[in-house]
Amino acid sequence: LGGSVAVDQHFGGMGHGDGGGGGGGGSARGGGHDGGKGNVIRGVLVVKDKEHSRLLQPQEAAQELGQPLHRLSFSTALPVPADVAKRLFAGGLPALLQHLQGVLHAAPELGRHLSRSGPGFVMQTTTLVARSVKVSKRNKGLALQWVYEDEPLACAVLDVLKQHIAGDGVGA
């Protein structure tokens, strides 16, 4: 009989090592560094018997166990007050996305989340995208979508956008 358990374990401090060799970016095989808080190991521990257990990537574990991979995704709407929306949305969608891209790239609090994921936010037709986090215009506000693994980045993006809207820093 086999079993599995999801693992999201933080390792840090003296004597704990790096939680495994190789890998990076929070993979199941090794632990990406978590900004001075130690290393993080994410994966699924597959236990076949007392002597045989392995830590696998979620996709590998699902395939080995013959189970479909499920991903949790989230979305939220960020309302924009009418006076701010009038200025923010005045130049149309391309101008809005370009403006928000500049705001997000300039936010130092996003740097630690984006430094491991490539170029940061890039424009894709009607959306700004970094990893699974998507920012788009929805009715009289903004919409954010993301998957569970990118929750820290999504929360940081949401905070930056809320501060930007509240501060009415639209005229950049």
Side-chain angles (χ1 to χ4, degrees):
L1 293 178
S4 67
V5 125
V7 175
D8 187 358
Q9 181 66 47
H10 295 265
F11 289 95
M14 308 217 12
H16 286 274
D18 70 356
S27 77
R29 298 216 189 274
H33 190 66
D34 190 17
K37 296 179 184 175
N39 290 312
V40 177
I41 296 177
R42 288 196 174 120
V44 177
L45 183 63
V46 177
V47 181
K48 293 197 179 209
D49 56 46
K50 289 184 181 182
E51 288 88 35
H52 297 92
S53 60
R54 297 178 307 165
L55 186 61
L56 301 174
Q57 293 284 349
Q59 298 86 342
E60 292 174 296
Q63 185 177 16
E64 184 171 308
L65 296 171
Q67 297 293 316
L69 181 63
H70 298 282
R71 296 193 84 167
L72 291 175
S73 60
F74 302 91
S75 64
T76 188
L78 181 60
V80 178
D83 58 327
V84 176
K86 191 174 198 175
R87 289 187 297 279
L88 187 62
F89 302 151
L93 187 59
L96 168 68
L97 294 177
Q98 189 170 12
H99 174 74
L100 292 178
Q101 184 178 31
V103 168
L104 294 171
H105 278 293
E109 58 270 35
L110 295 181
R112 69 185 175 98
H113 298 290
L114 293 174
S115 63
R116 296 186 304 254
S117 69
F121 279 87
V122 293
M123 269 190 260
Q124 293 183 348
T125 314
T126 61
T127 308
L128 285 175
V129 179
R131 295 197 313 233
S132 74
V133 179
K134 297 176 183 177
V135 180
S136 58
K137 181 181 181 296
R138 180 185 291 163
N139 300 327
K140 297 178 182 176
L142 299 172
L144 266 77
Q145 299 172 320
W146 66 94
V147 297
Y148 173 74
E149 292 83 3
D150 288 330
E151 181 85 8
L153 174 60
C155 289
V157 167
L158 191 57
D159 286 345
V160 167
L161 292 176
K162 284 179 180 177
Q163 290 171 8
H164 184 67
I165 290 167
D168 196 17
V170 177

